[in-house]
Amino acid sequence: MAFNPPDSATAREWLDGIFQEAFERGASDIFIDAMYDEDGEIVSISPELRIDGWNIKEPTLEGDRASQVIVMIKNDSEMGTSALNEPQEGRFPFEWKGSALAPVDKVEALDVRVTIFPIVGGEFISMRIPPSGSLPNLEDLGLSQYNYDRLMQLLSRPQGLIELAGPMGSGKTTTMYSVMKIIGGDRKSVVTVEDPKERTLDGARQMVINPRGGMTYAAVLKSLLRVVMDAMLIGEIRDQDTASAAVKFSTSGTKVLSSIHSGDPVSAIARTIDLSGAGVIAAMEAINGIMSQRLIRTLHAECKGQGCPVCDGSGVKGRMPVHEVLINSPEITEAMLRGASRGEVHKIAREQGMISFHEDADRLLESGQATRKQIEESIGFDTRQLGMPAVIDLAPSAADARAQQAQPSARRELTPEQQAAQRAAQEAASRGEIMIPEEVRGVQAAAPVPSTPAPTMPPPAPGSAVMPSSPRPPAPAAPSAPAPQQQRPAAQSQQVPSSQQQKAPQQPARLQPPGPVVPQQKQGTPPAAPKPAAQPASQANIGQPGLNWIPEEK
């Protein structure tokens, strides 16, 4: 279903045709590579439509019409037509009247954002297409019931800042407008400040930023501080003006909704603090919570993922969202105030109910809407497949649990990098530098016994973690029927296997490398006091291939 206008089409007809193709096929962007000759003249343009996160190439246009199309885009966007070596930004209005494949209830006036910057051999033109059609309800966007309830908990608060976090093209704008439908109403005073206006929101007073006309974010937001309103939408927190205004409005009794480019909720909090310049206390007082969003490509239901002309033979059609919803709390605020790490704050949020992207995506995997490959293309590799509990992925999915039950004896092959990390850990363990469980260390070759006999050592003090070198106590017999071990969350500390525990249960025992390793001492010198055993590291950092090994504190 490629865009194929007739040869007799004018430059304006070609441009209108590529926009119609984009709307009908649900494209989010139109990309054009304009190539120049040695004299600086345009010789061809190659368009692409970005559909469901993929770039679909369209036929190349050559000759005079190619040059005319680029000139039209620059003129409509009020850009300089002769500026070839510098980036430019602009926008132009576009009226979408609908078509047979993409009907609309009424003519929609849309603002198309245009960005042009030079590339090797020409220019790159990016045209961002705003969403068209009726605004969907929040219930129809595909949120899981669990995350929907957590979002409603945030929206129930009378004031404060709620941020939608995610990269460009992750669906933040559509979700944000759907949320505003819930916040607003006939009896509410709602104001939006946007650049550009991407949708029409009934019942709201929408303001569009126009720096050339003096309508800057700083000027508009400063004037609105003296206006009574119930809710406010700031299109994007992108600089100090927008971030500081969001904090000020949120702490002065207004419910504020905005978007921010960030990878996860904790990073969004840190970025808001840095951009606002208001300090940690004021920013954390303003923030109610963060909802981070990604989009997962789903299988085409009509062809059941086999590929057909409608999905361009890819077997994929449409996308579904997954979320991480962080609700601010006194514990999270205290952690940010004392400068806790991202991992620590994320752990607190997890303990308070936030689920990870992969846990939210399990529902798509179990329902057959998406494959694991499609999920990992959008949100990365699921470390739960390797049994590696991470800060953001603690609980195994139901699909992984079923697979483990079906193949209880399967042994996972490690990658070369993981094998190298495991060998390095084993070498460190043989030198007594770290503590790792025996089942993680695996089978190790016995260390050679030193030829010089070791001096007789006194018995270890009560509670000591040092094992006597000779004689070595026999290993306890393994139980005949070991009980299945229930998986525990990674927030709890990992226990040392019972076969390796010492008689003194109050102190964690140091696991010795294979073979007797006894330090040499001079005659007449009293033996040094045994070093206290190191506390076991957290489960998230010990015994997992590819993770950092924590050395013992000296």
Side-chain angles (χ1 to χ4, degrees):
M1 201 169 66
F3 171 62
N4 190 19
D7 295 337
S8 59
T10 64
R12 177 60 67 181
E13 292 173 342
W14 187 95
L15 190 59
D16 291 342
I18 195 71
F19 269 95
Q20 178 175 340
E21 185 80 6
F23 278 106
E24 290 179 348
R25 298 174 65 182
S28 60
D29 302 85
I30 299 176
F31 298 149
I32 296 178
D33 290 319
M35 307 312 295
Y36 290 77
D37 58 16
E38 296 179 354
D39 299 328
E41 299 293 334
I42 298 177
V43 295
S44 67
I45 58 175
S46 300
E48 296 179 357
L49 300 181
R50 188 164 180 83
I51 302 174
D52 294 335
W54 283 345
N55 290 2
I56 309 299
K57 295 184 179 297
E58 301 294 340
T60 299
L61 179 64
E62 300 178 348
D64 294 338
R65 287 186 301 169
S67 178
Q68 294 170 6
V69 167
I70 300 303
V71 171
M72 284 182 181
I73 294 174
K74 290 184 176 181
N75 287 335
D76 292 346
S77 307
E78 299 182 356
M79 296 182 182
T81 57
S82 59
L84 305 180
N85 297 319
E86 60 184 34
Q88 301 185 79
E89 291 187 4
R91 62 183 181 223
F92 63 85
F94 182 84
E95 288 190 352
W96 173 239
K97 302 178 181 179
S99 66
L101 297 178
V104 293
D105 297 334
K106 58 182 179 180
V107 176
E108 293 184 276
L110 307 173
D111 282 337
V112 178
R113 286 182 287 176
V114 182
T115 303
I116 299 179
F117 56 86
I119 60 175
V120 176
E123 286 183 309
F124 173 74
I125 297 94
S126 172
M127 293 182 286
R128 180 73 174 174
I129 301 175
S132 62
S134 59
L135 181 63
N137 295 323
L138 184 63
E139 296 85 355
D140 301 329
L141 291 183
L143 280 80
S144 65
Q145 186 62 48
Y146 181 78
N147 281 332
Y148 179 86
D149 293 340
R150 286 175 64 84
L151 179 59
M152 290 299 103
Q153 181 179 345
L154 289 176
L155 297 179
S156 65
R157 299 181 180 183
Q159 69 179 53
L161 174 61
I162 303 173
E163 294 180 338
L164 275 296
M168 178 73 74
S170 59
K172 299 187 300 296
T173 300
T174 299
T175 303
M176 189 164 55
Y177 274 91
S178 298
V179 171
M180 287 301 295
K181 288 179 63 177
I182 299 177
I183 295 178
D186 296 337
R187 298 177 181 271
K188 297 291 184 67
S189 176
V190 179
V191 175
T192 73
V193 184
E194 307 164 74
D195 181 24
K197 178 182 75 66
E198 301 198 41
R199 278 189 179 273
T200 299
L201 190 61
D202 295 337
R205 299 175 178 89
Q206 296 183 264
M207 306 176 67
V208 180
I209 297 300
N210 182 15
R212 296 181 180 179
M215 288 278 291
T216 62
Y217 265 118
V220 172
L221 294 173
K222 182 179 180 180
S223 63
L224 288 175
L225 285 171
R226 292 179 289 274
V227 176
V228 177
M229 66 185 81
D230 298 300
M232 179 181 188
L233 182 147
I234 300 177
E236 179 185 345
I237 293 178
R238 62 178 67 170
D239 51 27
Q240 184 174 3
D241 291 335
T242 52
S244 60
V247 171
K248 290 178 181 178
F249 281 106
S250 301
T251 54
S252 60
T254 303
K255 185 180 298 184
V256 180
L257 185 67
S258 187
S259 67
I260 187 169
H261 288 174
S262 181
D264 59 85
V266 179
S267 300
I269 293 178
R271 190 160 188 259
T272 302
I273 294 173
D274 293 339
L275 287 177
S276 67
V280 180
I281 296 178
M284 295 306 295
E285 180 184 355
I287 296 174
N288 281 346
I290 314 286
M291 185 170 80
S292 188
Q293 177 169 303
R294 297 289 190 280
L295 295 178
I296 308 294
R297 278 186 287 270
T298 54
L299 297 175
H300 189 201
E302 296 181 6
C303 66
K304 298 181 180 180
Q306 299 301 315
C308 64
V310 177
C311 61
D312 293 321
S314 65
V316 175
K317 184 70 174 177
R319 291 185 288 180
M320 286 286 288
V322 292
H323 302 91
E324 290 180 343
V325 183
L326 181 148
I327 299 177
N328 195 9
S329 65
E331 293 78 12
I332 293 178
T333 298
E334 187 273 335
M336 296 299 298
L337 286 172
R338 59 181 170 82
S341 66
R342 170 186 171 275
E344 184 178 349
V345 179
H346 214 146
K347 179 182 177 182
I348 296 174
R350 293 273 292 158
E351 292 172 349
Q352 295 179 352
M354 185 183 77
I355 64 174
S356 70
F357 284 131
H358 281 287
E359 289 173 327
D360 195 21
D362 284 342
R363 57 192 171 92
L364 305 179
L365 190 65
E366 295 172 356
S367 64
Q369 293 178 273
T371 64
R372 186 175 296 280
K373 178 181 178 182
Q374 292 164 344
I375 293 174
E376 292 178 351
E377 284 177 350
S378 299
I379 58 177
F381 179 71
D382 188 358
T383 57
R384 295 175 300 172
Q385 298 182 69
L386 294 178
M388 296 167 55
V391 174
I392 60 174
D393 288 313
L394 297 180
S397 64
D400 289 340
R402 289 197 301 269
Q404 186 177 5
Q405 293 175 1
Q407 298 180 354
S409 61
R411 181 174 181 179
R412 184 171 302 278
E413 294 295 330
L414 300 181
T415 64
E417 292 80 8
Q418 294 168 346
Q419 293 175 3
Q422 190 178 53
R423 287 194 299 269
Q426 292 171 352
E427 294 173 1
S430 66
R431 297 190 297 267
E433 297 177 358
I434 59 175
M435 290 177 58
I436 56 176
E438 183 68 26
E439 66 270 15
V440 174
R441 287 162 52 184
V443 179
Q444 300 184 12
V449 180
S451 58
T452 305
T456 303
M457 299 294 293
S464 173
V466 179
M467 298 175 61
S469 59
S470 179
R472 179 179 293 252
S480 57
Q485 201 170 22
Q486 184 177 3
Q487 187 165 2
R488 301 173 57 189
Q492 302 179 16
S493 61
Q494 185 169 350
Q495 293 182 349
V496 179
S498 60
S499 61
Q500 300 164 6
Q501 291 179 352
Q502 301 304 307
K503 293 183 178 180
Q506 302 301 325
Q507 295 292 336
R510 167 173 294 281
L511 301 180
Q512 295 297 321
V517 179
V518 180
Q520 300 293 332
Q521 297 185 4
K522 295 182 179 180
Q523 295 292 337
T525 303
K531 184 182 296 185
Q535 296 295 329
S538 66
Q539 184 179 2
N541 292 321
I542 279 192
Q544 306 299 346
L547 296 183
N548 294 329
W549 300 87
I550 301 180
E552 175 192 359
E553 296 182 1
K554 302 297 182 182

